[in-house]
Amino acid sequence: EVQLQASGGGLVQVGGSLRLSCNISGFTFDDYAIGWFRQAPGKEREAVSCLSTTDARTYYGDSFKGRFTISSDSAKKVVYLQMNNLQPEDTAVYYCAGDYFVNAEYACREDKTLDYWGQGTLVTVSS
C-alpha cells in the first residue's frame, strides 16, 4: 500500500524558511513522480513543484521558481520542499502526492489524476 506522509509545517515569520518532508512508502516500482501542492483558505489547490524519481527532473509552478526547491533522498525515500523567504500568501495546507509512471510535469499539471495523497501539513506565515 502506497503511503505518503507530509510533515514539517508550522508557524514562521515573514521572510523565514521551512523545509517540508514527504515520507514515501509502498511504491513497488521505482518509476513514479512525487509533487507538492498547496491549498490556501478559500482558494483552489495549486501545484508547487514535482519531481520524477526515474531521472530526478523537476517541475515548478510559475509562482514558485526561485524561492522553493524540491529535492529527494532516494535512500531514505523522502522528498523535501525547501521554502525560503516565506510570505503571508504562502499560508496554506501543503500536500504531497504522487503516482506511478508519470513525469514531474505531468504530475504537477494533472494533479487531479494522481492516485496517492498524503494528509497535508499546515504552513502559517505571520506578519
Side-chain angles (χ1 to χ4, degrees), residues 16-90:
S17 298
L18 278 177
R19 188 178 77 163
L20 306 182
S21 299
C22 179
N23 288 279
I24 302 163
S25 63
F27 279 101
T28 55
F29 301 103
D30 290 332
D31 183 351
Y32 55 89
I34 298 291
W36 285 98
F37 305 85
R38 75 181 190 184
Q39 188 163 21
K43 295 188 177 181
E44 294 203 353
R45 187 173 66 208
E46 56 182 338
V48 177
S49 182
C50 299
L51 178 147
S52 302
T53 59
T54 52
D55 55 12
R57 286 193 176 184
T58 59
Y59 178 89
Y60 290 87
D62 289 340
S63 304
F64 306 102
K65 295 176 183 176
R67 289 193 304 128
F68 291 11
T69 303
I70 193 169
S71 63
S72 67
D73 183 330
S74 57
K76 294 182 180 179
K77 293 196 178 297
V78 182
V79 173
Y80 301 103
L81 183 69
Q82 177 68 41
M83 306 186 294
N84 297 327
N85 190 24
L86 286 163
Q87 302 297 313
E89 54 267 33
D90 294 317

Side-chain angles (χ1 to χ4, degrees), residues 2 26-33 98-103 115-116:
V2 173
F27 279 101
T28 55
F29 301 103
D30 290 332
D31 183 351
Y32 55 89
D99 211 343
Y100 287 106
F101 311 124
V102 298
N103 61 30
D115 282 343
Y116 307 107

